[in-house]
Each structure stands twice: as C-alpha cells, then as structure tokens.
C-alpha cells in the first residue's frame, strides 16, 4: 500500500474508532453500488420512488422539518488567529472546535454503516481539480455526492497518486438543531459537520469544500474559488466567449447558466452553453488569461420557480435519474413545486395531504440533484482539463432601485470594488428574514474561508504585468417601477445585455462613462420585440447621483468592517468615485 493510501486508511480507522459504526463501506461509485443504496433507502423510507413512466429512476427525499436550509449561524471557520477568519465568518478556536465535535461524534454511528466517499472536484484528469474524501453515515449523501462530484474509484486512484485530499467528516447525528455544527479547519484542509442531512451542510464537496476550504487553498496556491456560474455564449460567427457570474442564491443564477436566447437571437445563430451553475475555480494560464473549471459534476438547484417559462433547459433534464428533496408530489407520483404550469399537488413536502391554507406544497428551498450531462445546453468543454478562458466576469444582486440594468467597471481595481460592495435582498436559501438588503461581496459572504479584507487583496493581486484579465460588469435584473413591477423582463431576454457586454469585450459597442462605471446608450441595447417604452429603458440606464452618493458612504462603512486588512487601494478607489459623484 502506498504511503498516501496508508494515511487515508489511518484516518478512516481513527474516525471508525471514534464513531463506532457497525460496518465500513468504501464507495466505488459504480451503478451496482448506487442501486443497492437506493434499495436500502426505499426500504427505510429515506427515499420515495416517483412515477416510473414519467420520471424513471427519480426519487423524492423528505428532510426533517427542522433541517431544510444552510445554517450560517452554526457554520464556523476555525483558524488559529480569529483575525484570519475575519468578521465575515463565525470563528471558533480549532482546539475547542475539535473537542466539541469529538464529543458529538463519540459513538454517533452505532447501528449505522460508515461510508468512505473519495471524490474529485473538477474533471478527474485536470491539473486544476482537487480531491477530497467524505466520511458519512448517510446513504442519501452518498447518492447525491455521486451525482455532484466525480466520486469513486477514479478519485481514489488520483488521491493515491497525489497524496493530498480534503478530509470531510459528516454525521446526521440525531438531526437535533441544538446539536448541529458545520466546522471548517482551513489550515488543516478539513471539514466536520454534525446534526444535519441537508444539502450544503451534508454534501461536503459542495459549499464546504468547493468554496470555504478551496478559497483558502486558492489563496495559498494563487488561484480563485468562487460562487459563480460559467456559461459559454456563441455568436452567429461561431465564436464562443465564456463568462463567469456571481449572484447570491435565488437571484437567477441557474436561469442564466442555462439561458435560452430569445427567438430572434436563436434564428440568427446565437447559442448558449452551460459549463456550471454554481461554482467556478479560476486559474491564471500561461497566456495571462483566467481559465475556469466547474468543480461540480451536477446541479443542486432550487426547485420552486423553475418552470418551462423560466428555465426550460432545467425542466428538460429533470424527467429521469434525479433526486428531489422537499418538493410536493402529485397523486400519480410526479414531483411538484410552486411555479410549475401543470399538475396538481396531492402531498406536500412533509408528506401530508396538500392544503394551501397550511402552507406551500414544496418547501421554498426544495431542491433537485441531477447530472450536468442531462442539461440540453451542457457542453463537453465542462470536461476540458485546461478549463475555459474567461472573457468577462459579472456581479449581480437583487436590487429594487439604484443599480442600473448593466454597467461596466473602469478597470480591474474598480471591478473588484464592484464585486466587494455587491448587495442583494435576502432569499429563502439562507435561514433568517427575507427581503433585507445586505452586502454580499462576490456572493461569497457565507462562503469565503478567510478574512474578506485578505480576500479582496487576493483578487487585486491578479492585476499584474502580462495579465489579460476578463472585463468586469455589474447587472441588476430586478429593478422595479413606482408600482412595484419589474421593469426588465429578465430570463432569456438577459441575452440582450450579454450581447452588449461581449461587444464591449471585442471593442464593438459604445458606452457612456460615469463615476460608477460605463453604461450603454439606450440605442446600444437590442430591445426589438420587447415592446419596452423609451422612458423605461432610460430609467434602467440612468445614474441616480444622490442615491449613489449615499451608496458610496455605505460602501465605505462596510469596507471599514475589515479594519486594516482592507486594501488601501480599494479604499482609494471608493474615495475616487465618491469625489467624482
């Protein structure tokens, strides 16, 4: 046995000694193994089989009602020095955290099987990918990790070659919210999660590894791990530009990743290719450009609001080989959620007879897990070991006023400020109040594994001689008029904004310079067929100086939260814009 596998075996043995499982199973990722796990979960009631005619190989999982979302207040970053975690994270001393977790884990797997899940984040043969091993007592987690990562024998072989891997330990425990923690130890490249079976808390390859630990790893190794979709946009000339975009949850990220262009664009030959819908790892290439991979192999998407109208590509991939979590179900066993245009729910997400007066059929944060390869707009470039070269990076949030439909950052430094000062109105993906405006730098507030001040400095460090960095843009699809109605149609029509951006990248479109960024002229946006009046379009592209002055004051206060870790160059950029306003 290689020394690399010996250290993995030693760790597995020590976890088994602590948790006391009845059996240990090393996962190989095979179809046969998955079939056995599904049979087991059907027998225990962890899965419910859906209609085999309409949804072959599809299953429904119902969480405990107290375990339906990420729990940011129970999520900790455990570094030796509190300042290294930063005010953007909950901090706990690593020694104390290990003591607390060891007490929870002691004997927690008695009567259960302990699954050892080797996985690779990113294409199995890519130098940009990184491996991990999750130990879990949840077969539901194994089934999801098989879809969401490159899991099994191939990942184990890579770990044996490389020796390095992120250690993740997970137990559902008793599903008691008072005995629930998600701990991250970036300096040890390890994760410990207890007391939750929900997605981001339990599928440790997802937010825990691919963002919190990977962002720390990326800083030490000179790359970026970001909460971004990756999409390819092919123009009628056959040229494809790749764009990464950061949006907080439920701000249209999956819709943009799987965008279907309006009919006129499709007729002209525009195509959109999906590389990833949630996470983007960016590495500088030898040519100075940033190259991106999607470390995930599947989608863990929010179901409510997904429909033929909002995201036909997503709907087309959900009729076979998918896992649904906390959705409703129809009388004939089809999954159902609010926003769907057909079907009637018979049972709600808790398995009760559906009653609109009691609550929605699907939990607002109910999910689907499905292989990326099932998406009609999937591109084989998602498996390219070198990644795809980025032409643009987009930051966006949900703002009812102030932020224009689109603006272009003046340069990289300004773009980093745009990302750092991003704000959005909260949604159901995180626990807490809905509709509150909060700063969410680069959509990474819950996910950056270290101090945001250091994180901003790391972003700024990519602007060096010879770098050919992507242009940075900010978008806001969510502007509302005086009557509270959305002013921009969104969804597929966002293609119109993307076209202007790519023309800016290739030097084919004009822009008006303003203190907060470059804005398109109304004539620069193709609004043909939208029936949008000139006044609405002008309002979407107008700079509200008084509002932006107040915004710059607010941004200044926000940057001060990170004290002397905030880069001076970022403070100076904010001051420059404020002075110009």
């Amino acid at each position: 046995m290689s020394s690399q596998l010996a250290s993995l075996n030693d760790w597995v043995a020590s976890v088994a000694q602590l948790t006391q499982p009845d059996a240990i199973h090393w996962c190989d990722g095979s179809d046969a193994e998955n079939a056995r796990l599904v049979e087991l979960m059907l027998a225990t009631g962890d899965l419910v089989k859906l209609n085999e005619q309409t949804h072959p190989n599809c299953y429904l999982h119902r969480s405990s009602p107290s375990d339906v979302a990420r729990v940011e207040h129970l999520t900790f970053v455990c570094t030796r020095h509190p300042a290294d975690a930063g005010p953007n994270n909950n901090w706990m001393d690593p020694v104390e955290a290990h003591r607390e977790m060891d007490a929870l884990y002691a004997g927690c797997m008695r009567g259960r099987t302990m699954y050892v899940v080797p996985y690779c984040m990113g294409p199995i043969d890519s130098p940009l990918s990184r491996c991990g091993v999750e130990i879990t007592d949840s077969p539901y987690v194994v089934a999801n990790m098989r879809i969401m990562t490159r899991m099994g024998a191939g990942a184990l072989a890579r770990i044996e070659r490389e020796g390095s891997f992120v250690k993740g330990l997970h137990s559902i425990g008793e599903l008691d919210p008072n005995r629930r923690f998600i701990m991250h130890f970036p300096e040890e490249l390890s994760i410990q999660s207890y007391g939750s079976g929900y997605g981001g808390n339990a599928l440790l390859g997802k937010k825990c590894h691919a963002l919190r630990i990977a962002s720390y790893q990326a800083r030490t190794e000179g790359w970026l791990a970001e909460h971004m979709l990756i999409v390819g946009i092919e123009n009628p000339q056959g040229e494809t530009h790749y764009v990464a975009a950061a949006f907080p949850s439920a701000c249209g990220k999956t819709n943009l990743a799987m965008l279907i262009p309006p009919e006129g664009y499709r007729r002209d030959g525009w195509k959109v290719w999906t590389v990833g819908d949630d996470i983007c790892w960016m590495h500088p290439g030898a040519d100075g450009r940033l190259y991106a991979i999607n470390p995930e192999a599947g989608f863990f998407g929010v179901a409510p609001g997904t429909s033929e109208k909002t995201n036909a590509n997503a709907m087309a991939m959900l009729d076979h080989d998918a896992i649904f979590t906390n959705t409703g179900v129809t009388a004939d066993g089809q999954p159902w959620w609010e926003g769907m245009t057909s079907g009637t729910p018979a049972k709600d997400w808790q398995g009760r007879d559906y009653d609109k007066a009691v609550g929605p059929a699907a939990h607002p944060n109910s999910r689907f897990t499905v292989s990326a390869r099932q998406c009609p707009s999937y591109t084989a470039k998602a498996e390219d070991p070198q990644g795809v070269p980025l032409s643009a990076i987009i930051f966006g949030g949900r703002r009812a006023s102030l932020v224009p439909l689109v603006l272009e950052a003046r340069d990289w430094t300004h773009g980093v400020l745009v990302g750092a000062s991003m704000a959005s109105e909260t949604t159901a993906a995180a626990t807490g109040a809905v509709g509150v405006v909060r700063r969410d730098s680069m959509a990474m507030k819950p996910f950056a594994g270290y101090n945001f001040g250091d994180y901003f400095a790391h972003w700024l460090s990519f602007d060096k001689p010879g770098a050919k960095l992507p242009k940075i843009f900010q978008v806001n699809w969510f502007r509302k008029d005086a009557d509270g109605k959305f002013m921009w149609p969104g969804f597929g029509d966002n293609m119109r904004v993307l076209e202007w951006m790519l023309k800016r990248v290739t030097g084919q479109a004009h822009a008006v310079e303003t203190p907060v960024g470059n804005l398109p002229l109304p004539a620069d946006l193709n609004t043909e067929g939208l029936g949008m009046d000139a006044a609405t379009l002008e309002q979407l592209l107008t700079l509200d100086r008084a509002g932006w002055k107040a915004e710059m004051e607010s941004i200044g206060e926000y940057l001060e939260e990170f004290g002397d870790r905030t880069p001076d160059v970022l403070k100076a950029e904010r001051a420059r814009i404020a002075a110009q306003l």
Side-chain angles (χ1 to χ4, degrees):
M1 185 192 298
S2 70
S3 60
Q4 283 89 333
L5 277 193
S7 75
L8 172 55
N9 273 313
D10 290 346
W11 175 57
V12 170
S14 69
V15 170
Q17 195 173 357
L18 175 64
T19 60
Q20 303 281 302
D22 281 15
I24 300 173
H25 176 78
W26 288 70
C27 296
D28 61 14
S30 66
D31 290 345
E33 175 184 76
N34 188 60
R36 284 196 303 273
L37 286 174
V38 167
E39 284 304 315
L40 171 73
M41 287 186 279
L42 289 171
T44 59
D46 279 340
L47 290 184
V48 175
K49 193 168 181 58
L50 294 171
N51 187 315
E52 187 61 35
Q53 273 66 52
T54 61
H55 290 77
N57 292 322
C58 287
Y59 302 93
L60 172 65
H61 171 77
R62 293 185 176 116
S63 298
S64 160
S66 67
D67 187 31
V68 290
R70 292 194 315 267
V71 281
E72 288 169 25
H73 66 293
L74 300 174
T75 301
F76 291 83
V77 170
C78 309
T79 50
R80 286 189 296 274
H81 304 293
D84 292 339
N88 48 299
N89 283 304
N90 300 316
W91 175 82
M92 194 182 288
D93 176 82
V95 176
E96 184 194 335
H98 278 301
R99 189 165 53 236
E100 186 131 5
M101 296 305 282
D102 283 353
L104 291 171
Y105 286 131
C108 71
M109 294 190 191
R110 284 193 194 106
R112 299 177 185 173
T113 296
M114 179 174 111
Y115 299 96
V116 181
V117 184
Y119 64 90
C120 182
M121 301 304 295
I124 200 84
D125 55 349
S126 170
L128 314 185
S129 300
R130 297 289 181 271
C131 288
V133 175
E134 174 169 2
I135 294 176
T136 180
D137 54 11
S138 164
Y140 167 79
V141 166
V142 179
N144 278 273
M145 286 290 284
R146 183 173 183 262
I147 295 172
M148 293 303 300
T149 69
R150 284 80 171 174
M151 183 271 265
L156 188 62
R158 179 165 173 161
I159 289 168
E160 186 170 10
R161 284 197 309 276
E162 292 184 342
S164 62
F165 61 95
V166 170
K167 294 177 180 173
L169 173 53
H170 166 257
S171 173
I172 53 175
E174 318 86 69
L175 292 178
D176 178 354
N178 298 311
R179 286 165 59 82
R180 180 176 295 162
F181 288 102
I182 299 94
M183 302 288 195
H184 303 77
F185 303 90
E187 292 151 344
E188 304 168 19
L189 298 185
S190 74
I191 307 152
Q192 297 192 341
S193 172
Y194 186 90
S196 172
Y198 167 75
N201 306 331
L203 312 180
L204 300 187
K206 194 157 181 59
K207 308 296 193 191
C208 297
H209 177 167
L211 289 177
R212 295 191 192 101
I213 296 297
S215 61
Y216 180 92
Q217 217 174 353
R219 183 185 170 215
T220 57
E221 297 176 5
W223 48 283
L224 289 161
E226 299 299 323
H227 186 207
M228 293 180 177
L229 64 91
I230 311 165
V231 68
I233 300 155
E234 185 180 331
N235 66 19
Q237 291 74 48
E239 303 157 337
T240 303
H241 285 275
Y242 293 93
V243 173
F247 296 88
S249 292
C251 282
K253 226 168 136 200
T254 304
N255 292 343
L256 182 57
M258 301 175 193
L259 183 139
I260 295 174
E263 190 184 344
Y265 279 83
R266 296 201 300 276
R267 211 172 36 239
D268 291 342
W270 290 86
K271 297 187 181 84
V272 172
W273 302 105
T274 306
V275 179
D277 79 322
D278 195 39
I279 300 175
C280 166
W281 287 0
M282 297 180 267
H283 294 245
D287 59 359
R289 297 187 73 180
L290 282 183
Y291 285 80
I293 61 165
N294 170 17
E296 300 189 299
F299 304 124
F300 182 67
V302 177
T306 304
S307 69
E308 300 293 349
K309 180 180 179 293
T310 62
N311 196 337
N313 276 335
M315 293 301 286
M317 67 184 178
L318 294 177
D319 58 2
H320 67 98
D321 299 279
I323 298 171
F324 297 89
T325 300
N326 296 334
T327 66
V329 66
T330 64
D332 66 344
Q334 298 188 53
W336 194 93
W337 53 81
E338 278 66 22
M340 282 178 78
T341 50
S342 61
T344 307
K347 299 280 185 189
D348 72 7
W349 64 276
Q350 296 186 53
R352 305 171 301 194
D353 290 340
Y354 172 62
D355 179 354
K356 194 174 184 179
V358 173
H363 186 273
N365 194 35
S366 56
R367 299 280 176 154
F368 53 78
T369 318
V370 66
S371 168
R373 292 173 183 271
Q374 290 182 205
C375 182
S377 55
Y378 172 80
T379 169
K381 285 284 185 187
E383 288 294 326
D384 191 326
Q386 303 311 312
V388 295
L390 293 179
S391 296
I393 290 172
I394 302 169
F395 295 115
R398 186 180 276 271
R399 298 292 294 267
S401 61
L402 185 70
V403 178
L405 176 63
V406 59
L407 63 82
E408 173 194 47
R410 198 174 57 109
D411 54 23
W412 185 257
T413 301
H414 178 212
V416 173
L417 179 68
V418 166
S421 60
M422 229 172 90
S424 191
E425 291 157 16
T426 52
T427 70
T431 48
V434 173
V436 179
V437 172
R438 69 170 183 179
R439 299 260 168 232
D440 189 356
S441 301
M442 281 79 166
M444 282 286 281
K445 188 171 191 292
F447 309 122
Y450 61 101
N451 189 308
F452 255 163
D454 297 339
Y455 171 81
F456 302 150
H458 182 52
W459 263 84
L460 291 166
S461 74
F462 286 82
D463 191 8
K464 46 170 79 95
K468 298 188 184 76
L469 295 168
K471 273 188 178 290
I472 295 179
F473 297 87
Q474 180 174 26
V475 298
N476 178 23
W477 316 130
F478 300 99
R479 278 291 288 272
K480 290 182 177 176
D481 61 19
D483 298 328
K485 290 193 170 66
F486 289 119
M487 297 162 70
W488 180 250
F491 305 115
D493 286 307
N494 294 337
M495 184 75 210
R496 302 166 187 274
V497 176
L498 294 170
E499 181 188 13
W500 177 78
M501 290 181 197
L502 295 186
K503 284 184 172 172
R504 288 295 294 166
V505 166
T506 55
Q508 295 172 285
H510 302 101
V512 181
E513 290 186 22
T514 78
V516 302
N518 303 329
L519 296 169
L521 290 160
D524 293 333
L525 282 182
N526 173 6
T527 56
E528 191 183 329
L530 277 187
M532 180 176 282
D533 61 83
T536 301
L537 185 59
E538 194 166 323
Q539 203 181 336
L540 282 168
L541 301 174
T542 298
L543 177 68
D544 168 9
R545 278 181 182 265
W548 274 101
K549 277 184 188 171
E551 179 79 351
M552 283 297 147
E553 287 298 313
S554 168
I555 290 168
E557 290 165 14
Y558 173 69
L559 293 178
E560 287 302 324
E561 290 179 23
F562 309 103
D564 57 7
R565 300 262 182 150
T566 303
D568 289 336
V569 66
L570 214 55
K571 293 179 184 175
E573 182 66 14
R574 189 213 65 84
R576 179 190 69 78
I577 296 169
Q580 279 194 0
L581 284 164

